[in-house]
Amino acid sequence: MPRLLTIEDHRLEESRQRKKHWKRWGPYLAERQWGTVREDYSKDGAAWESFPFEHTHARAYRWGEDGIGGLSDRHQMICFALALWNGRDPILKERLFGLTGNQGNHGEDVKEYYFYLDSTPTHSYMRMLYKYPQAEFPYARLLEENQRRGRSAPEFELLDTGVFEGNRYFDVFVEYAKGDVEDILIKITAINRGPELAVLHLLPTLWFRNTWSWGKDLRRPIVRNAPDTPGAVCAELQHWEYGKRWLLCAGQPELLFTENETNYARIFNYRSRTPYVKDAFHEWLIHGNKAAVNPERAGTKMAAHYPLQLGPGDSATLKLRLTDIDPLGGMDADSPMVGTITSPAHQERAEGVPGTNDFAKGFDALFVQRQKEADEFYSSRLAKELSGDAHLVMRQAYAGMLWSKQFYHYDVHTWLDGDPAGPAPPEERWEGRNREWTHLYNDDVISMPDKWEYPWYAAWDLAFHTIPLALVDPDYAKEQLILLLREWYMHPNGQLPAYEWAFGDVNPPVHAWAAWRVYKIERRVRGVADRGFLEKIFHKLLLNFTWWVNRKDPDGRNIFQGGFLGLDNIGVFDRSAPLPTGGHLEQSDGTSWMGMYCLNMLAIALELAKDDQAYEDVASKFFEHFVHIAHAMNVIGCDRRSLWDAEDGFYYDLLHLPNGDEHFLKIRSMVGLIPLFAVETLEPEIVDRLPGFKRRMQWFIDHHPDVPEHIEMTQRSARGVRRLLSLVNRKQLKRVLWRMLDETEFLSPYGVRALSRYHLEHPYEVQVNDHISRVDYEPAESSTGIFGGNSNWRGPVWFPMNYLLIESLQKYHHYYGEDFKIECPTHSRRESDLWQVAAEISRRLTHIFLPGKDGRRPFAGSADLFNKDPHWRDLVLFYEYFHGDNGAGIGASHQTGWTGLVAKLLEQSGE
């Protein structure tokens, strides 16, 4: 693919070379800042209760901002989002509502419907949809019904309340089109889908993140009323970081002003610092308190009030513009220079950008042009042979991933120490959460798993995000991987931060895998191999690898522990807590992840060694370490058992009791499939170019007679000897796949389950101190409270693990070729090679989102609106995981992060 193909490609190149900062503005607002660890200053770490939803409209945030369909600069100094009121709600709708981890019957959960429909990588064009009920929003009912339900019942959703019956709701589309780096046109379109006249108040809102109330930086920005321009009212912004900006609002809306300051009287029952506070617009509009807004028409928060009455099927469009063009100097639409530029970054504007007084033909034409450019960009990346439905799924997957960028700010030392202008935090915090991470200072735009349910980065989620992101923006993918390895993220001991609830938790070590994949994806799509990136990340990963070896293999036996490793409730015990039996676990997944880590690092070292022989020795180290792990995992020694159960033909965790007894925990789960991930082929043309590595490898093979058990060699290649490095040998592979491809066990119609369906009728039980712990097959939500109960690895289908299984099968096929065949599905009497098996699993996964013969998209479950209504049926939600039997979406509903891998699957394997 040519490096510069479309106009959007040119923007990406300008951004990469730092000629123009196209990514300075983007969808960087969170969808939920409340209930986060960052905003929690309690002594006991009760984040949900410390800053609840009920405080959000009246209490200033310390570390970030949230909003609906919002936009901000990359440091979130200036924020823009949409507020709404239907004339019935008790509060202004300024942010998305959901239940906390303690309120929901399956943990935290957003209770709204919104969809990310489009975005280019530079955010030159963006579009989203929010569905707003015309009836009073059922806040109380959602809370009460979910609290009434137990863990065995499904979640009670907004659709279940009946507020969308009769189509009594508004579709509200928010679109952005960049005229240039600092010139953003905004279009908000509201449509009444209902059968009756309905009232809707729209309040496009602009505000500054509160950086001045904490006693560290007293500089206060300001937004004030400015002279009107023909056809629009105007507000002028002044910020020390960006100079002057203007927000132009077409028509004659009333401009409201207040401060982004806490209403202390409402929240804490004592006097506020200013009479004009954060919830002023709520008071002004809903309660008619006209004194709530600043009559001087200035502050740090403003909104334009557009009252609408829409008949059935009617629509209204609001047009706004956030720009650094002086409104009065930019009114000549025919001039090649479209206005006076007042920002520090003085540069000419592109032709075709409308004048500041043009909210008609020129304004609309720019949206048409930017949408056309977005279509051209994705047309160059979406396979033409795919169906229109597949293109729709891919386009919304990419949109969700790009909209899920978020400014994330967290200075752990300051957070623990408290602010000069605030009360001293309780001393107990220095013995609590994240106390060992005081070096951590985050102030970046980061790819989030889900900006409402998980508005904080997670190390292993992020690695998976970068794979599809690399197809559209390799630079951003690489930046994300490097970011977590920087000194202000990575712990001095080499550990990567897991997530803000517990940075010291352990996620699977997939960073090296992601870096190697992103490197190869960029080489393919751009024709350029970024060896500098690979070398930079490799050196930092050496520190992380050493941490793993020292901390998770304390006995030096090449068998690893690691805790829950991202699989939450997959075990019969909480694997991150001390075992109720005493003793310790030798983990099949922990050991397998390290085998995979070795092979990823080996592949990177061999690539770097092509230009620098110094890496040959490092490659030898990872080759030998892998062999030791493979031997320890599979071979029964005189003093211990392996993790391979020859009787069952499966891998299990091994429980070591204090009295010296050892027992397999015979749970047929993803834990026993993860060994498949550790596979790599050594090609002769690579090995032969590296004589130092080749000599050391041959010496190692000659002096370790058991090596052939873990390295297969063949003369299949005309170029020489090919070698397969794998934790799982050919015989074991047949037996593991026999279970994995059995539809009564792992293989569902929608991918590979995380737990075998065998456990539906054969639950696994362990009795400890008169208490029975058990693992049942649960294809939907979890019935346990382990890790908050909002994730379930006991039966559903998870995209990241399925993606790695598919990739591993392709690698096995690359070595074995068409000679290796297996029944797929098991008992079907239809044999397939491993490439065909990988394609079959991929097809099952992608069909979660594609309409079946009945026209229904399985992710939507039984929701008729999503399956039949023309205003819903083409809207896709990328859930966290999926029902193990019917493919319905479960968990976080906007986890495009790793579920966005569906775009990569469609790209590589089709439908």
Side-chain angles (χ1 to χ4, degrees):
M1 183 178 296
R3 186 174 180 182
L4 296 177
L5 185 63
T6 67
I7 293 174
E8 179 65 12
D9 285 307
H10 283 281
R11 292 194 190 98
L12 286 169
E13 184 63 16
E14 288 178 327
S15 177
R16 187 183 71 82
Q17 296 182 8
R18 303 184 69 81
K19 290 181 178 179
K20 298 185 76 171
H21 300 293
W22 282 107
K23 300 177 189 175
R24 176 174 289 157
W25 295 86
Y28 307 144
L29 286 183
E31 285 159 5
R32 176 175 62 82
Q33 182 67 18
W34 59 275
T36 61
V37 167
R38 284 155 287 153
E39 301 293 342
D40 173 24
Y41 283 80
S42 66
K43 68 178 182 180
D44 54 359
W48 290 115
E49 290 73 30
S50 178
F51 202 130
F53 175 79
E54 290 73 20
H55 285 191
T56 55
H57 64 291
R59 182 176 167 189
Y61 293 125
R62 171 63 177 87
W63 295 97
E65 297 289 340
D66 56 19
I68 298 174
L71 177 93
S72 80
D73 63 278
R74 65 178 301 108
H75 292 289
Q76 212 176 81
M77 296 294 186
I78 303 172
C79 308
F80 175 90
L82 178 64
L84 314 90
W85 189 51
N86 57 14
R88 294 184 172 92
D89 286 352
I91 59 174
L92 196 61
K93 177 67 74 173
E94 294 180 289
R95 57 191 50 79
L96 300 169
F97 171 72
L99 303 182
T100 72
N102 300 323
Q103 292 172 339
N105 61 325
H106 294 288
E108 63 267 34
D109 187 46
V110 68
K111 300 299 182 184
E112 307 260 18
Y113 290 100
Y114 56 103
F115 306 87
Y116 295 123
L117 303 179
D118 211 354
S119 180
T120 58
T122 65
H123 311 297
S124 57
Y125 178 74
M126 298 192 296
R127 185 169 183 252
M128 67 85 66
L129 167 64
Y130 173 64
K131 289 185 177 284
Y132 186 35
Q134 294 171 5
E136 180 179 338
F137 197 90
Y139 294 104
R141 188 178 174 202
L142 286 164
L143 173 60
E144 292 164 2
E145 179 60 21
N146 277 282
Q147 287 187 320
R148 186 188 66 80
R149 296 186 177 195
R151 293 194 181 277
S152 60
E155 295 174 328
F156 184 66
E157 304 293 2
L158 185 59
L159 272 179
D160 299 326
T161 67
V163 294
F164 290 103
E165 290 180 3
N167 289 329
R168 288 177 170 82
Y169 67 91
F170 300 102
D171 269 342
V172 183
F173 294 90
V174 181
E175 293 179 84
Y176 298 94
K178 290 183 180 178
D180 210 330
V181 173
E182 306 288 348
D183 185 20
I184 304 163
L185 281 62
I186 305 165
K187 185 162 65 172
I188 301 167
T189 302
I191 306 171
N192 179 3
R193 298 295 186 197
E196 300 154 353
L197 182 74
V199 171
L200 176 63
H201 298 261
L202 296 179
L203 291 90
T205 304
L206 184 143
W207 72 102
F208 302 104
R209 177 166 62 90
N210 189 327
T211 58
W212 57 87
S213 291
W214 323 112
K216 289 181 173 289
D217 187 344
L218 301 181
R219 292 176 295 178
R220 181 188 288 260
I222 190 170
V223 55
R224 60 170 68 91
N225 188 62
D228 294 350
T229 61
V233 297
C234 183
E236 180 186 282
L237 297 70
Q238 182 75 43
H239 195 284
W240 66 86
E241 185 77 20
Y242 292 112
K244 282 187 180 180
R245 294 287 188 282
W246 289 267
L247 181 67
L248 306 175
C249 309
Q252 293 296 315
E254 183 171 359
L255 299 188
L256 310 174
F257 296 84
T258 188
E259 303 293 340
N260 184 18
E261 295 264 15
T262 296
N263 184 339
Y264 283 93
R266 181 185 298 275
I267 301 298
F268 300 113
N269 201 30
Y270 60 87
R271 187 175 180 179
S272 298
R273 298 173 182 173
T274 169
Y276 310 113
V277 288
K278 183 177 177 180
D279 59 344
F281 306 153
H282 164 95
E283 283 292 314
W284 182 88
L285 180 60
I286 296 176
H287 299 295
N289 181 4
K290 303 307 178 185
V293 299
N294 189 345
E296 299 296 323
R297 308 189 77 189
T300 51
K301 179 180 178 180
M302 62 81 58
H305 176 223
Y306 289 88
L308 305 174
Q309 288 192 354
L310 298 177
D314 287 350
S315 66
T317 298
L318 281 53
K319 299 178 180 181
L320 302 95
R321 186 168 183 171
L322 178 60
T323 183
D324 63 347
I325 304 175
D326 185 309
L328 299 178
M331 290 194 295
D332 182 6
D334 298 322
S335 171
M337 269 294 288
V338 186
T340 304
I341 300 168
T342 59
S343 67
H346 185 94
Q347 50 192 315
E348 289 191 1
R349 304 277 163 173
E351 291 190 23
V353 177
T356 53
N357 59 331
D358 184 356
F359 283 95
K361 183 177 179 180
F363 187 97
D364 294 339
L366 186 71
F367 275 88
V368 171
Q369 178 62 27
R370 293 294 181 262
Q371 189 167 24
K372 178 184 176 184
E373 292 163 3
D375 292 341
E376 290 172 349
F377 175 78
Y378 284 108
S379 291
S380 72
R381 281 153 172 81
L382 306 185
K384 292 180 173 55
E385 59 269 19
L386 293 176
S387 67
D389 272 311
H391 282 182
L392 179 146
V393 171
M394 292 181 74
R395 191 77 173 259
Q396 291 189 38
Y398 285 129
M401 298 200 73
L402 294 167
W403 271 91
S404 293
K405 297 179 181 181
Q406 178 187 311
F407 169 73
Y408 184 89
H409 188 30
Y410 191 15
D411 173 356
V412 172
H413 190 277
T414 296
W415 175 75
L416 288 170
D417 204 32
D419 293 310
E427 285 296 320
E428 292 90 336
R429 286 160 51 82
W430 284 100
E431 300 300 322
R433 179 177 286 133
N434 295 332
R435 66 187 181 279
E436 296 177 347
W437 291 78
T438 54
H439 74 285
L440 188 136
Y441 183 91
N442 299 165
D443 186 10
D444 298 284
V445 171
I446 307 178
S447 178
M448 297 292 149
D450 178 320
K451 289 204 298 186
W452 194 94
E453 190 147 337
Y454 305 116
W456 30 262
Y457 62 87
W460 82 306
D461 296 56
L462 185 64
F464 288 103
H465 300 181
T466 62
I467 306 306
L469 284 170
L471 292 169
V472 294
D473 191 355
D475 291 322
Y476 178 63
K478 291 184 295 184
E479 289 164 6
Q480 293 293 289
L481 290 169
I482 290 172
L483 193 60
L484 262 65
L485 296 169
R486 296 307 303 262
E487 305 81 74
W488 48 92
Y489 282 78
M490 176 188 274
H491 197 280
N493 65 17
Q495 184 180 10
L496 297 186
Y499 41 78
E500 68 175 28
W501 287 90
F503 282 127
D505 268 359
V506 183
N507 281 174
V510 290
H511 230 70
W513 165 79
W516 179 230
R517 294 292 292 119
V518 166
Y519 172 81
K520 292 194 291 184
I521 290 171
E522 182 184 30
R523 185 172 60 187
R524 174 169 62 86
V525 301
R526 272 187 175 164
V528 176
D530 190 349
R531 302 177 70 81
F533 156 74
L534 202 60
E535 191 166 16
K536 177 184 290 187
I537 209 163
F538 182 77
H539 286 285
K540 286 297 187 69
L541 286 170
L542 287 173
L543 300 176
N544 179 246
F545 186 90
T546 303
W547 175 84
W548 266 90
V549 172
N550 291 339
R551 292 293 296 274
K552 299 303 172 184
D553 178 25
D555 299 328
R557 298 167 63 178
N558 297 301
I559 294 291
F560 290 81
Q561 300 172 39
F564 88 114
L565 287 175
L567 306 187
D568 294 28
N569 66 341
I570 203 163
V572 70
F573 307 123
D574 180 348
R575 300 192 304 168
S576 285
L579 299 176
T581 59
H584 68 277
L585 275 181
E586 291 184 349
Q587 294 183 215
S588 172
D589 55 337
T591 306
S592 302
W593 286 122
M594 284 305 291
M596 175 182 167
Y597 201 170
C598 282
L599 293 181
N600 299 148
M601 294 294 277
L602 171 61
I604 295 173
L606 290 174
E607 178 72 9
L608 295 173
K610 292 177 182 178
D611 294 333
D612 187 343
Q613 291 182 352
Y615 287 98
E616 291 189 52
D617 290 346
V618 186
S620 296
K621 176 261 183 296
F622 286 110
F623 168 78
E624 294 174 18
H625 202 143
F626 170 78
V627 174
H628 289 312
I629 290 173
H631 181 77
M633 187 165 181
N634 287 288
V635 177
I636 299 176
C638 60
D639 61 341
R640 58 174 303 279
R641 300 169 67 177
S642 75
L643 302 183
W644 170 255
D645 184 349
E647 180 182 351
D648 286 3
F650 206 69
Y651 288 95
Y652 297 116
D653 286 347
L654 188 64
L655 174 63
H656 289 259
L657 295 174
N659 64 3
D661 289 349
E662 298 175 336
H663 301 278
F664 279 131
L665 297 181
K666 290 198 172 187
I667 305 169
R668 295 180 194 167
S669 74
M670 188 61 67
V671 166
L673 300 180
I674 290 174
L676 297 173
F677 300 167
V679 56
E680 197 68 53
T681 299
L682 294 182
E683 299 295 344
E685 57 268 32
I686 295 176
V687 174
D688 291 345
R689 286 181 56 182
L690 307 173
F693 173 77
K694 185 176 182 179
R695 284 194 303 271
R696 173 63 190 180
M697 180 177 66
Q698 192 59 51
W699 181 93
F700 187 83
I701 292 171
D702 293 342
H703 288 77
H704 293 79
D706 56 343
V707 165
E709 298 179 27
H710 317 297
I711 304 175
E712 288 198 39
M713 291 181 283
T714 179
Q715 296 285 347
R716 179 186 301 277
S717 171
R719 298 182 298 273
V721 176
R722 302 176 71 228
R723 296 172 175 87
L724 179 73
L725 304 180
S726 173
L727 288 181
V728 183
N729 65 34
R730 187 184 183 108
K731 291 181 180 179
Q732 292 169 324
L733 180 60
K734 286 266 189 182
R735 298 192 67 188
V736 172
L737 292 182
W738 185 82
R739 289 202 184 279
M740 189 184 87
L741 299 177
D742 188 337
E743 292 180 312
T744 67
E745 289 218 32
F746 285 98
L747 187 61
S748 87
Y750 303 100
V752 177
R753 303 176 176 106
L755 185 80
S756 171
R757 206 170 188 274
Y758 167 83
H759 292 296
L760 176 65
E761 297 181 1
H762 304 88
Y764 183 81
E765 295 183 345
V766 173
Q767 182 169 341
V768 181
N769 300 326
D770 298 324
H771 175 73
I772 295 178
S773 298
R774 62 186 283 162
V775 172
D776 296 89
Y777 173 73
E778 300 178 274
E781 288 94 347
S782 170
S783 64
T784 75
I786 297 178
F787 285 91
N790 65 334
S791 293
N792 183 25
W793 288 84
R794 296 183 175 181
V797 172
W798 291 76
F799 260 75
M801 311 304 276
N802 274 261
Y803 184 84
L804 289 175
L805 285 170
I806 290 167
E807 182 179 275
S808 299
L809 291 169
Q810 292 171 336
K811 289 182 177 181
Y812 283 114
H813 176 79
H814 179 66
Y815 181 81
Y816 289 123
E818 296 179 3
D819 293 342
F820 189 109
K821 292 185 181 291
I822 193 166
E823 278 189 332
C824 180
T826 303
H827 308 302
S828 68
R829 298 184 179 180
R830 296 194 304 270
E831 288 201 331
S832 303
D833 63 40
L834 295 184
W835 189 268
Q836 293 167 331
V837 173
E840 174 63 16
I841 296 173
S842 179
R843 185 192 65 80
R844 293 184 182 218
L845 288 164
T846 57
H847 280 232
I848 289 173
F849 302 100
L850 298 172
K853 293 180 180 178
D854 59 358
R856 304 174 76 91
R857 300 180 192 268
F859 85 85
S862 60
D864 282 340
L865 272 179
F866 277 99
N867 289 309
K868 297 179 181 179
D869 191 286
H871 302 304
W872 292 74
R873 66 188 176 203
D874 289 335
L875 302 174
V876 180
L877 291 175
F878 299 88
Y879 283 86
E880 183 180 5
Y881 53 100
F882 299 87
H883 195 291
D885 293 335
N886 61 36
I890 306 170
S893 56
H894 289 75
Q895 190 143 344
T896 319
W898 60 23
T899 303
L901 287 163
V902 66
K904 183 67 174 72
L905 292 177
L906 285 166
E907 187 257 358
Q908 70 186 25
S909 300
E911 300 172 70

